[in-house]
């Protein structure tokens, strides 16, 4: 059996190197120090957010009040610090943006992997990179001067900002990720499966529907999960477009305030160690848990994708 | 001549045509979206660009209706530059450690890889929270260039680490085996062979990370940025940044014309950096 690629490292351990033993020790020390720093920082990030959120989530009653029991009115006496409006906003915005981006993203992925001539494929790649490289605040601004202005003029709304507008712009933002990851997943389907299908005379649509979608399923899930993680964590665009209203949204045309926008809006005005500060950290903890779960799913799926086409991932 | 197989039903053929048509439509949208967004910003913003806009601080009342964005450009560059000074050595050293010294099947390496990927997926606003509490409040760096650079360093660290690690893993097994069989030390092999070999990838991923950090407002809005700062950025003073300046002038509805200009500078700056990085990468790969 061929040993795993990096096992070759151990070749060097057979005999002491003739020269440079001390440099080796130094490099090893430096590398381990760096790794330890990274590990500590990550641990610190998670622990700090948990620690600062703790006063707001330390008992089931507090957790209930925070998540579902109350609205957000920090200026009242006593302050009401429930984040259900933010959770509902996040869920609505994320769901709609994925509902828009996933079909289109899969379509682009299929187009890139199956239908497009090579030269078009090589042109589309930089387009995705361009789309993925535009900063979130620029997307927010772009949505503000186009969609928000349009809804103000034709939508019979007091202000053009709404969860709908935020979702549309968010869909554009996650599109390149969904398109490129799903494109890779479609392209990774073994050629033999395709050839076998075409040789019995089925159509391209049949191959896509019955073979590509099934064989590429783990990769497609990963694409959606990656898009989901980005949509949940997106801040500046939703801050500019969702309307930043603390009322509980009931429709997509309402204004709302996703979790990220809540944190960005309120943190500068929250004194350290106040109840509001802890509630904001609790909102951060919700985000952290959400993205953590999504990332765990992606991590598990990745293993399956590699198995799916026999290594190489 | 009659075909040996039964012809496909028209419905099947039409479904296939519809699929191909929709596929091309999706591809066309994939083209049109990025080009129209950048094109729109170009058309609306290019009239705004001038030397004054690039070289003057914001002026007018309310602030930002006239003048330029020079302090924001300087501040963003200083933040990303200083952040890279912190993140790049740490990320490359960690990647070398993970790839060359850690047992790839061991618990430690697996955990670290998972941890890094999780860190890369953490929303930017959480980095802002962390930076605010740790650097601004706990370390008493205040809202300053230093706090912001440390926070942005954290944002860039996992991206560079993952990219460098992947590039090191892609160094051919035979090369690795033969150089170590020659009896040189691991450090020598890393320094003289592996690192030069993956340098183009490091450059590419560093530019990617820097571009991401340059454009992201959420990590710096509580840690480094203010609506107005002037002069040369100093470590212990707050700075202006391009993304937060854009956010400020849009959200306070100050001046849309200035906002177009700022957005265009931000996007064009990122585009130019990417093109330069591509050229540098080509040159290094020669």
């Amino acid at each position: 059996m061929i040993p795993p690629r990096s096992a070759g490292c151990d070749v060097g351990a057979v005999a002491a190197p003739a020269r440079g033993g001390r440099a080796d020790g130094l490099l090893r020390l430096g590398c381990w120090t760096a790794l330890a720093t990274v590990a500590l920082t990550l641990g610190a990030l998670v622990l700090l957010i948990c620690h600062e959120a703790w006063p707001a989530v330390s008992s089931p009653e507090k957790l209930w009040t925070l998540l579902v029991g109350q609205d957000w009115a920090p200026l009242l006496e006593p302050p009401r610090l429930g984040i259900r409006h933010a959770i509902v906003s996040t869920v609505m915005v994320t769901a709609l943006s994925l509902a828009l981006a996933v079909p289109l993203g899969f379509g682009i992925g299929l187009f890139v992997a199956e239908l497009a001539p090579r030269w078009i494929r090589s042109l589309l790649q930089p387009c995705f990179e361009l789309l993925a490289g535009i900063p979130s605040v620029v997307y927010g601004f772009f949505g503000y001067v186009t969609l928000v202005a349009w809804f103000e003029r034709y939508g019979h709304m007091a202000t053009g900002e709404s969860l709908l507008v935020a979702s549309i712009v968010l869909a554009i933002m996650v599109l390149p990720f969904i398109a490129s990851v799903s494109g890779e997943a479609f392209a990774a389907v073994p050629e033999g499966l395709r050839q076998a299908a075409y040789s019995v005379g089925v159509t391209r649509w049949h191959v896509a529907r019955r073979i590509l979608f099934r064989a590429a399923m783990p990769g497609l899930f990963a694409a959606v999960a990656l898009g989901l993680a980005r949509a949940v964590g997106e801040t500046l665009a939703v801050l500019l477009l969702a309307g930043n209203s603390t009322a509980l949204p009931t429709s997509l045309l309402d204004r709302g305030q996703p979790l990220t926008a809540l944190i960005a809006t309120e943190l500068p005005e929250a004194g350290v160690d106040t109840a509001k500060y802890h509630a904001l950290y609790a909102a951060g903890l919700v985000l952290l848990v959400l993205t953590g779960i999504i990332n765990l799913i992606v991590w598990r799926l990745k293993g399956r994708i590699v198995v799916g086409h026999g290594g190489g991932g | 001549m009659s075909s040996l197989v039964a012809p496909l039903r028209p419905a099947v053929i039409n479904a296939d045509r519809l699929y191909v048509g929709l596929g091309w439509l999706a591809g066309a949208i994939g083209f049109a979206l990025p080009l129209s967004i950048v094109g729109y910003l170009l058309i609306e913003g290019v009239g705004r660009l001038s030397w004054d806009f690039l070289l003057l601080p914001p002026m007018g009342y309310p602030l930002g209706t006239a003048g330029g964005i020079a302090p924001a450009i300087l501040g963003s560059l200083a933040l990303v530059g200083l952040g890279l000074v912190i993140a790049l050595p740490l990320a490359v050293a960690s990647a070398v450690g993970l790839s060359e010294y850690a047992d790839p099947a061991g618990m430690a390496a697996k955990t670290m890889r998972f941890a890094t990927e999780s860190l890369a997926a953490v929303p930017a606003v959480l980095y802002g929270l962390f930076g605010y509490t740790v650097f601004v409040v706990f370390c008493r760096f205040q809202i300053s260039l230093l706090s912001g650079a440390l926070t942005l360093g954290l944002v860039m660290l996992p991206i560079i680490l993952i990219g460098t690690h992947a590039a090191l893993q892609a160094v051919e097994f035979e090369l690795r085996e033969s150089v170590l069989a020659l009896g040189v030390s691991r450090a020598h092999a890393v320094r003289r062979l592996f690192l030069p070999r993956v340098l183009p990838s490091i450059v590419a991923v560093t530019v990617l990370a820097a571009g991401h950090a340059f454009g992201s407002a959420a990590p710096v809005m509580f840690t480094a940025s203010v609506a107005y700062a002037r002069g040369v950025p100093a470590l212990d003073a707050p700075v202006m940044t391009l993304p937060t300046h854009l956010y400020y002038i849009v959200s306070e509805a100050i001046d849309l014309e200035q906002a177009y200009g700022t957005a265009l500078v931000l996007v064009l700056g990122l585009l130019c950096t990417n093109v330069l990085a591509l050229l540098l990468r080509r040159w290094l790969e020669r």
Side-chain angles (χ1 to χ4, degrees):
Chain A
M1 196 190 128
I2 302 165
R5 197 191 283 162
S6 312
C9 294
D10 295 326
V11 177
V14 174
R19 292 178 53 206
R22 190 187 295 170
D24 202 33
L26 270 179
L27 183 69
R28 185 186 293 258
L29 186 70
C31 288
W32 283 117
T33 316
L35 267 177
T37 315
V38 175
L40 277 178
T41 315
L42 175 74
L45 182 99
V46 174
L47 280 182
L48 180 98
I49 289 177
C50 292
H51 177 261
E52 300 290 304
W54 182 246
V57 298
S58 53
S59 70
E61 300 88 71
K62 278 186 182 171
L63 194 62
W64 176 262
T65 318
L66 176 88
L67 295 182
V68 276
Q70 255 182 5
D71 51 353
W72 179 266
L75 296 177
L76 290 182
E77 197 57 51
R80 291 215 294 265
L81 298 165
I83 58 169
R84 65 177 178 201
H85 76 286
I87 295 176
V88 171
S89 300
T90 292
V91 170
M92 285 166 76
V93 165
T94 312
L96 181 61
S97 65
L98 282 186
L100 293 171
V102 166
L104 185 56
F106 282 3
I108 298 177
L110 260 183
F111 175 74
V112 169
E114 294 297 307
L115 302 173
R118 189 180 293 269
W119 64 275
I120 288 191
R121 217 175 294 175
S122 61
L123 276 180
L124 261 175
Q125 195 54 43
C127 278
F128 292 160
E129 278 165 24
L130 182 63
L131 211 50
I134 296 176
S136 144
V137 64
V138 174
Y139 274 111
F141 170 64
F142 178 76
Y144 189 83
V145 290
T146 54
L147 288 172
V148 170
W150 192 86
F151 272 97
E152 261 168 22
R153 188 175 300 168
Y154 302 105
H156 307 293
M157 291 154 71
T159 61
E161 294 117 335
S162 66
L163 294 176
L164 175 67
V165 170
S167 313
I168 295 173
V169 172
L170 218 51
I172 302 177
M173 297 180 68
V174 299
L175 186 64
F177 298 95
I178 295 183
S180 59
V181 176
S182 67
E184 280 166 26
F186 286 127
V189 173
E191 195 55 35
L193 284 181
R194 266 187 215 111
Q195 300 292 346
Y198 283 128
S199 67
V200 295
V202 299
T203 62
R204 289 165 291 187
W205 168 232
H206 190 91
V207 170
R209 188 165 56 103
R210 299 297 292 273
I211 294 171
L212 296 179
F213 265 103
R214 288 174 194 202
M217 200 48 96
L220 298 184
F221 266 116
V224 175
L226 279 177
L228 184 62
R230 294 200 69 88
V232 166
E234 190 38 65
T235 307
L236 261 294
V238 296
L239 191 59
L240 281 168
L241 299 173
N244 244 0
S245 148
T246 56
L248 190 70
T250 50
S251 92
L252 285 165
L253 288 173
D254 280 350
R255 299 194 294 153
Q257 186 180 44
L259 287 161
T260 49
L262 172 73
I263 297 173
T265 310
E266 301 281 353
L267 188 70
E269 289 148 30
V272 175
D273 264 337
T274 57
K276 184 171 158 187
Y277 171 87
H278 293 304
L280 291 177
Y281 262 90
L285 185 61
V286 173
L287 277 178
L288 190 68
V289 170
L290 275 177
T291 47
I293 293 173
I294 297 167
N295 203 50
L296 203 63
I297 295 172
V298 174
W299 182 261
R300 299 303 280 279
L301 286 172
K302 245 189 213 164
R304 293 194 32 204
I305 300 165
V306 175
V307 172
H309 62 95
Chain B
M1 201 180 103
S2 66
S3 169
L4 286 176
V5 289
L8 291 166
R9 280 180 293 122
V12 173
I13 293 175
N14 286 337
D16 185 55
R17 284 192 185 138
L18 184 67
Y19 157 66
V20 175
L22 286 177
W24 277 87
L25 181 67
I29 295 176
F31 268 116
L33 270 178
L35 295 183
S36 58
I37 291 175
V38 173
Y40 179 80
L41 289 178
L42 256 177
I43 291 168
E44 296 283 342
V46 79
R48 199 65 231 178
L49 293 188
S50 66
W51 287 116
D52 278 357
F53 187 65
L54 293 177
L55 298 177
L56 286 179
M59 289 188 278
Y61 184 84
L63 195 69
T65 45
I69 52 169
I73 298 177
L74 279 182
S76 278
L77 288 177
L79 274 172
V80 174
L82 196 60
L84 271 183
V85 170
I86 299 158
L88 187 59
L90 209 54
V92 172
S94 302
V96 169
L98 210 51
S99 165
E100 307 301 320
Y101 288 109
D103 170 16
M107 223 21 225
K110 265 192 190 153
T111 317
M112 271 312 289
R113 284 212 307 276
F114 178 66
T116 331
E117 297 214 354
S118 311
L119 200 57
V122 166
V125 70
L126 294 185
Y127 284 105
L129 271 183
F130 178 77
Y132 176 72
T133 301
V134 172
F135 304 130
V136 177
V137 178
F138 183 74
C139 298
R140 303 194 183 174
F141 294 156
Q142 308 296 339
I143 294 187
S144 65
L145 175 60
L146 180 61
S147 302
L150 286 166
T151 313
L152 276 190
L154 278 183
V155 172
M156 293 186 277
L157 179 68
I159 308 177
I160 305 178
L161 207 171
I162 292 171
T164 309
H165 180 253
L168 280 170
Q169 291 288 298
V171 171
E172 299 87 336
F173 176 61
E174 291 77 10
L175 182 75
R176 202 177 277 279
E177 197 174 41
S178 38
V179 67
L180 292 174
L182 287 175
V184 299
S185 71
R186 192 73 55 86
H188 190 83
V190 166
R191 199 161 48 89
R192 299 295 293 274
L193 199 66
F194 300 158
L195 278 186
R197 215 174 162 78
V198 299
L199 189 61
S201 309
I202 297 182
V203 169
V205 77
T206 303
V207 170
L208 184 80
H212 177 67
F214 192 80
S216 76
V220 293
M221 59 194 305
F222 328 121
T223 57
S225 75
V226 285
Y228 181 69
R230 63 180 310 159
V232 180
L235 262 191
D236 56 349
V239 291
M240 285 176 71
T241 75
L242 277 175
T244 52
H245 184 63
L246 178 57
Y247 170 64
Y248 167 71
I249 50 183
V250 176
S251 66
E252 307 284 321
I254 287 179
D255 189 335
L256 278 187
E257 288 301 308
Q258 293 280 46
Y260 279 115
T262 312
L264 186 62
V265 169
L266 191 50
V267 170
L268 283 186
L270 287 173
L271 272 181
C272 292
T273 319
N274 277 307
V275 171
L276 280 180
L278 197 73
L279 294 178
L280 180 64
R281 195 180 174 179
R282 290 253 168 87
W283 184 74
L284 284 171
E285 272 172 350
R286 263 189 333 169

